[in-house]
Structure formats: C-alpha cells, structure tokens
Amino acid sequence: MGRAQWSVMISVDEARNLILESVQPLASQNIAVTDCLYRIPSSSIAAQIDLPGFDNSAMDGFAVRAADLEKADRNNRIELACVATVEAGSETRRAVDTGECIRIFTGAPLPHGADAVVMQEDTENSEDSGQVLFAEPIKPWENIRFRGEDIRSGSSIASTGHRIGIGVRAVLYGAGVSELEVVQKPKVAVLATGNELREPGEVPLAPGQIYETNRSTLAAFIEKSGCEAVVFPLVPDTLEATQEAFRRAFKECDAVITSGGVSVGQMDFVKTAFDRIGGELSFWRVAMRPGKQFGFGRFQSKYWFGLPGNPVSSVVTFLLLVRPALDRLSGLSDLVMERRKGTLGEDLSNPGNRTHFFRVIFKADNSMVFSAGAQGSHRLLSLSQSNGLLEVPPDTIFKAGQECEVLMWD
Ligand code: AMP
Ligand code: MG
C-alpha cells in the first residue's frame, strides 16, 4: 500500500481504486441452507439431486399408453379400464397395460407402462364401473414433467460473488442442498466523534450541542449492504478517547467507519489516533464535494474508513467509497452503483476544482432530473429529498435539457 500523500488530493476514481486494491473478501464459513438468504457463496454450489426428481404428471387426469388412443375421436370413443390411483407423494407398483389407465394427480410419479397423461377435463369418467372414455388421441409424453428437465444433479445453481436471492434459495432447497460455503458477513463498526454530539432523544441540548445523526444513517446503509453494523458510543474529541475507541472497534469488527475529526482542526484527532494504534494510512483527502476530508487505511488485516462529520458528506463518501469496499469484503463480484439516464430539468454549475456530487431527484415517470435543493454539506433536508447523485466535473456547467446519468442511491 502506498504511503500517504499528505497534501495532495486524489480523484474519486483513484481513491476508489486504492481502496478496492486493498480490500479482499473475508474468509468463508459453512452455513445451513436455512440461513443462506442474501449471503454470498465463496464457491459454486451444485445441485445434489435432479429436479424434478422423477417423471411425474403435470395434470390431474389419467396415465395412459398413447398408442391405445391413436384412433380415438368423438365418433369413436375408446374405453380404458382404470386399474389404480396414484396421488402426489405416493407411488403405484401397478403398471399400465394395454387397454388400461391409472387415475393420476399433479406431481404424482408416472406409473410404469404409461407414456402420456390425459387431462381429466378431456375424459368422461364412469367411476362406478371403473371405465373411462377418451374422445381424442394424445401424443406420447404429453403432460409429463421429466426427471431433471429443470435442473440436473451436479449442475451449478448458485455462483461465487452473487448474492443468494429468494429465487436462488428456492432452487437450493429444491435441489437438495443442506449446507453451503459462504463468505463471512462483515462486521462493521460505526463511530462518531465530536464533543458537540448528543444522543438523539436526549433533552435538552446545551448551547452549541447537536443531535448525532451519522451513526444511525451509516448503520442503515451498512445493514442494507448485507453487513452487520456495530454502533459504538459517541467518542469525545481527545486523542486518548479516540485511540481507545479504535482499539475496541478493531478488536470486534472487520472494518471501522468513523465520522468527523478528520480535517485539520485542533480537535481532529482521528488520523493521529489511527496512526498511534499502528494503523497505516493509505490516503487522505479526495477531490470531491461534499466529502473532501476522507481518509482510508489498514490496521493489520482490517480497514479504516474515515468519513467527514458533515452529515451529507458522510453519506456521499460512504456511497461512493465505502459501499463498494463493503461489497468486496462481503465477496460480491459486481460493485457497480445503479445508474439511470435522464434529462436535466435545470442548470447545475460546478465552478470549483473538485468533482461535485449534486443531490438530485430523478423522476421515474419522465426521467427528468432536478436538484434536490440547497447543496451545503450540512443540508440534511436536500439529502432526504433526493434519490440520486449527479456527478458534475470541476469547472463545468450542465445545462437544462442535457442528457445525464444519475447514480441512484435510494
Ligand atoms: P468534523 O468533520 O468533525 O469537523 O465535523 C463537521 C461538521 O459536522 C460539524 O458541524 C459537526 O458538528 C458535524 N458533525 C460531525 N459529526 C456529526 C454527527 N455524527 N452527526 C451530526 N453532525 C455531525
Ligand atoms: Mg468534529
């Protein structure tokens, strides 16, 4: 890992690349299939059995030999003797002989001798006499679901790097998988620094104090990324308290996210504390707005993401720089943020020298894109009203009517 370039701002892409080069997926663990929803396999998973597991009926009706009904039509109804019944979950040893049929229900195994199922609605059944009338011919293998036609035993049904969704889990259950190897779920510590911070709900605030908002927000994003968030108590602005908080967090978690205290103020102890505990800083400061004061480093086999304290900056840096890292740590192979093409509804101007990520509203009904309001990095309201970010390069004006691409965050 390259040593810190203390005074130079690196670009967002460089920052993301440095982070992703550094972060490796966690080790794997064995889990029961019942716990696999939204986990990420660390190796390809094979079906243990064929699906369907046996040839079976797709209909409620009668298992027949198609050759017996070759000449059946409305004027020449053919009568077969119904010699047995087979329901789903059972089987019959009785085979279908020429001139015979077997009453069968959907999902029941096809009896020997039969090569087609006639649906009940196409027959006339005189149950009492045990005779069934057929007025149409049927093609061999009609209304039969074949063993292994959906999934073959041994074929891959879940692949490395892709989250197991509800559908894939159903396949794992159906194909007889009972245990599987997945990447361990990252435990991510969330710390907030600042003497001014108070727990939300604590009343009243003393002069200069504010309610803390970053930990709950970051924890929600972390959990949404499929990781476990561990929220730590507020950290006062002292070097000792910050070091102690780091030590506890790294002991328990695979990655530590801090908010606040990473700029150049007298009370900004986070970088120094990270250094003191033996952390290795990779870079600090990124040419983005909001979010310039962002740091990243390694502590042994673990990672530190130092986010700025301003609530909007912490969210934007999390989405662009931390979330892909958590995805990689979790074992995901696709780290791309969802993008949607739209048309700008107003001018957006970035006269600065850092890439500006505007909080925008992408309207799904007409793909128009508007600013979500005042863009200050302390402006929680515009963040709350936006569903996407629009990247405007330095010294650039995007004009109303222009095509653009929105990074969807919600
Ligand atoms: P800092 O990055 O520590 O210099 O903080 C920048 C600004 O964000 C200051 O106005 C802080 O009061 C505010 N801030 C820092 N941390 C939080 C937090 N966890 N919740 C809400 N505001 C915060
Ligand atoms: Mg602070």
Side-chain angles (χ1 to χ4, degrees), residues 192-193 196-197 210-214 259-263 268 308-311:
T193 69
E196 74 280 27
L197 304 179
I210 61 169
Y211 293 122
E212 197 280 321
T213 57
N214 292 346
S259 94
V262 270
S263 57
D268 293 329
N310 267 311

Side-chain angles (χ1 to χ4, degrees), residues 378-395:
H378 59 297
R379 296 279 198 161
L380 266 182
L381 193 63
S382 59
L383 178 76
S384 73
Q385 286 165 353
S386 83
N387 57 359
L389 299 172
L390 181 58
E391 178 177 350
V392 183
D395 264 327

Side-chain angles (χ1 to χ4, degrees), residues 9 12 34 53 77 95 97 128 138 149 173 186 215 286 291 313 324 361 370 387:
M9 276 193 287
V12 178
T34 44
R77 298 197 297 174
D97 267 335
D128 298 344
I138 188 161
E149 75 173 10
Y173 278 127
R215 287 175 307 166
V286 182
S313 314
I361 299 165
F370 296 94
N387 57 359

Side-chain angles (χ1 to χ4, degrees), residues 31-34 36 45-53 150-158 167-181:
I31 60 163
V33 70
T34 44
C36 79
I45 298 163
Q48 301 298 298
I49 53 173
D50 286 332
L51 204 66
D150 191 8
I151 297 163
R152 283 256 168 238
S153 174
S155 64
S156 171
I157 47 176
V168 171
R169 183 179 61 167
V171 169
L172 294 171
Y173 278 127
V177 174
S178 56
E179 280 194 344
L180 60 154
E181 288 254 305

